Amino acid sequence: MNHKVLPNVTVVDHPLIQHKLTIMRDKETSIAGFRRLLREIAHLLCYEVTRDLELEMIPIETPMQQMEAPTIKGKKLVFASILRAGNGLLEGMLDLVPAARVAHIGIYRDHETLQPVEYYFKAPSNLEDRLVIVVDPMLATANSATAAIDKLKERGANKIRFLCLLAAPEGVERFTHAHPDVPIFTAAIDDHLNDKGYIVPGLGDAGDRMYGTK
Ligand code: PRP
Ligand code: URA
């Protein structure tokens, strides 16, 4: 069963997610395996983060007769990927919601200061009318996610959810303080951040493990 550690934080602890996450954490897992697993987990997380979307009935005609059938209400969703590693989750999300709009937010954290450095931002228009789901596998200090959401809010987004794979308790605290209106969905909350800002036990550097850039 999923559980809420705080009112706004859902840990999606489906056995398939937990099993796949364990393989991802293993330092012996290959780059190809890591990428495939992240995409598979994204499918399962996408299912949860969209579970309560509102439906509306539309008339259609089946080969047998007319009927009123449910469809997702409102404008297309926006998936906002924090580059680079967010793209690993994004691909899996788009497998399930191929018509979603996509925002790309280029942010990396300075390795010394752990402060976010922004280098790219491109988002669809009408953010104020859409649900925006921000994706990034790692919520460590939360500096990157907080900056990304600041930017989306500046551009009008007002219904936002944040989806990650792993979070540090320190990051969850900072994030919920900075953006109490943004629910977090994560597969796990780990033990702590180390003095270099890495999640422990974690899985290492997600971008490097996805793209082989160490
Ligand atoms: C990683 C990760 C998050 C960020 C999390 O990206 O994908 O964006 O770190 O850390 P924070 O919560 O302390 O900000 P990174 O900065 O390594 O950039 P990359 O994806 O380009 O490698
Ligand atoms: N970013 C990562 O990729 N891994 C961590 O553990 C922390 C930040």
Side-chain angles (χ1 to χ4, degrees):
M1 277 297 289
N2 299 336
H3 62 275
K4 294 216 175 233
V5 286
L6 290 167
N8 242 1
V9 183
T10 302
V11 178
V12 185
D13 50 9
H14 189 288
L16 284 174
I17 295 181
Q18 297 306 314
H19 179 88
K20 289 173 191 293
L21 175 56
T22 297
I23 306 172
M24 289 185 75
R25 288 181 189 273
D26 188 334
K27 67 178 186 184
E28 301 302 334
T29 295
S30 67
I31 290 170
F34 190 91
R35 236 186 263 151
R36 180 178 46 77
L37 286 157
L38 185 56
R39 189 170 184 145
E40 290 173 1
I41 291 180
H43 296 162
L44 299 159
L45 290 171
C46 183
Y47 180 85
E48 286 300 332
V49 75
T50 56
R51 176 181 279 281
D52 63 351
L53 292 189
E54 220 181 317
L55 295 170
E56 64 182 342
M57 303 304 275
I58 56 164
I60 58 161
E61 207 168 325
T62 77
M64 310 302 290
Q65 66 166 53
Q66 286 206 327
M67 71 175 289
E68 294 281 311
T71 185
I72 292 172
K73 191 174 174 183
K75 285 201 183 298
K76 299 278 184 276
L77 303 183
V78 174
F79 297 149
S81 169
I82 303 180
L83 305 176
R84 296 173 295 167
N87 279 4
L89 283 175
L90 173 67
E91 286 178 17
M93 303 280 287
L94 287 173
D95 288 339
L96 291 202
V97 190
R101 307 310 192 225
V102 175
H104 289 98
I105 306 174
I107 294 182
Y108 68 88
R109 55 181 204 163
D110 181 288
H111 281 290
E112 297 299 320
T113 64
L114 302 182
Q115 290 308 303
V117 181
E118 297 176 26
Y119 60 92
Y120 189 75
F121 183 90
K122 186 86 178 173
S125 55
N126 309 111
L127 286 182
E128 59 281 2
D129 300 329
R130 301 176 187 271
L131 173 63
V132 179
I133 301 177
V134 181
V135 298
D136 188 332
M138 310 303 275
L139 185 72
T141 63
N143 288 342
S144 306
T146 301
I149 289 168
D150 285 343
K151 193 98 185 177
L152 288 163
K153 286 183 173 175
E154 272 169 31
R155 303 291 175 106
N158 54 42
K159 283 193 301 296
I160 306 176
R161 299 177 183 184
F162 180 75
L163 179 65
C164 63
L165 181 65
L166 273 187
E170 296 88 335
V172 170
E173 191 180 332
R174 167 134 204 280
F175 184 99
T176 51
H177 189 71
H179 293 295
D181 56 316
V182 179
I184 300 176
F185 292 76
T186 183
I189 300 178
D190 272 9
D191 194 61
H192 66 279
L193 279 184
N194 71 12
D195 58 3
K196 296 199 161 46
Y198 277 85
I199 299 174
V200 182
L203 49 71
D205 188 301
D208 286 345
R209 292 200 62 190
M210 276 178 62
Y211 296 118
T213 46
K214 186 74 183 152

